[in-house]
Amino acid sequence: MTDIAVAEQTTKLIGPGRLVLVVGPSGAGKDTLINAARSLGADDATIVFARRTVTREASAAEDNLQVTPEDFSRLEAAGDFALSWRAHGHAYGLPRGLDDDIRAGRTVVANVSRMVIDPARSAYANVVVVLITAPAEVLAARIAARARASDGSITDRVGRSVAAQPDVTISNVGDPIAHAQDLLEIIRHGRPQP
């Protein structure tokens, strides 16, 4: 079971900036594409890549802040997260500061669980959901290669359904830089460019 929390909204939807939610199964390469898009768009001050707070160890590909479950609960109770959720025995949160970035018209990019899509659409005026995916055998190989203990059973991770209502889907097989360029176009324009 996944628990989700969204900071209470007392006014209209948060905007005018865009919130780009990157979702997908374990091993799809979400962090790889996000990191490559960050490098490709490093000169664009209108794009902010949210740093998640997590209660599990991070891999080398992730830019997460790792905290204890107790510290996470304290941060959450203090209202430090714009969005938070629990999945697969771990807690995840996005910093409250992303609301200020969106209010200032910037685009915020975040790797999230599909479970926060509906709550995010209820809180933010301009949400774009990008599903990163790959065939099952590719997912299994990638999960095995990263050898992260918190991933649990590879079979279980690959077998999980990632039902989402994406606005755009990227099948991450082949050249990751080309896919990162596609992701950057979506980040900049809310959709892929022709």
Side-chain angles (χ1 to χ4, degrees), residues 19-25 27-44 47-52 56 59-64 85 94 107-113 128-133 142 146 170 172 175-188:
L19 177 59
V20 177
L21 302 177
V22 179
V23 299
K30 298 179 296 290
D31 286 308
T32 298
L33 295 189
I34 289 169
N35 289 336
R38 178 185 296 135
S39 293
L40 291 168
D43 61 339
D44 191 338
I47 302 172
V48 177
F49 291 84
R51 186 173 191 213
R52 295 186 307 181
R56 63 161 173 75
S59 72
E62 297 173 311
D63 181 28
N64 293 331
W85 64 99
L94 297 178
T107 297
V108 175
V109 182
N111 177 352
V112 300
S113 166
V128 177
V129 178
V130 181
L131 173 64
I132 309 292
T133 191
R142 289 176 181 165
R146 70 185 182 196
I170 296 174
N172 188 19
D175 181 10
I177 297 302
H179 296 309
Q181 289 170 331
D182 292 341
L183 178 58
L184 184 58
E185 286 302 308
I186 295 162
I187 292 166
R188 286 184 169 148

Side-chain angles (χ1 to χ4, degrees), residues 47-123:
I47 302 172
V48 177
F49 291 84
R51 186 173 191 213
R52 295 186 307 181
T53 299
V54 300
T55 61
R56 63 161 173 75
E57 75 272 11
S59 72
E62 297 173 311
D63 181 28
N64 293 331
L65 174 62
Q66 183 180 348
V67 298
T68 66
E70 296 77 21
D71 286 340
F72 187 94
S73 293
R74 279 192 284 280
L75 292 167
E76 190 173 43
D80 287 355
F81 299 127
L83 294 167
S84 61
W85 64 99
R86 285 167 175 69
H88 317 302
H90 303 289
Y92 302 81
L94 297 178
R96 163 78 53 220
L98 73 81
D99 291 351
D100 294 333
D101 287 317
I102 291 172
R103 285 185 185 103
R106 290 185 276 279
T107 297
V108 175
V109 182
N111 177 352
V112 300
S113 166
R114 70 191 182 279
M115 302 305 290
V116 300
I117 294 171
D118 288 339
R121 287 192 193 277
S122 296

Side-chain angles (χ1 to χ4, degrees), residues 9 11-17 98-100 102-103 123-126:
Q9 300 299 312
T11 61
K12 64 181 182 171
L13 297 179
I14 298 171
L98 73 81
D99 291 351
D100 294 333
I102 291 172
R103 285 185 185 103
Y124 297 92
N126 191 357

Side-chain angles (χ1 to χ4, degrees), residues 26-28 136-149 151-155 157-158:
S26 294
E137 63 275 7
V138 173
L139 298 175
R142 289 176 181 165
I143 294 168
R146 70 185 182 196
R148 190 171 63 198
D151 280 339
S153 163
I154 292 173
T155 303
R157 295 296 286 222
V158 171

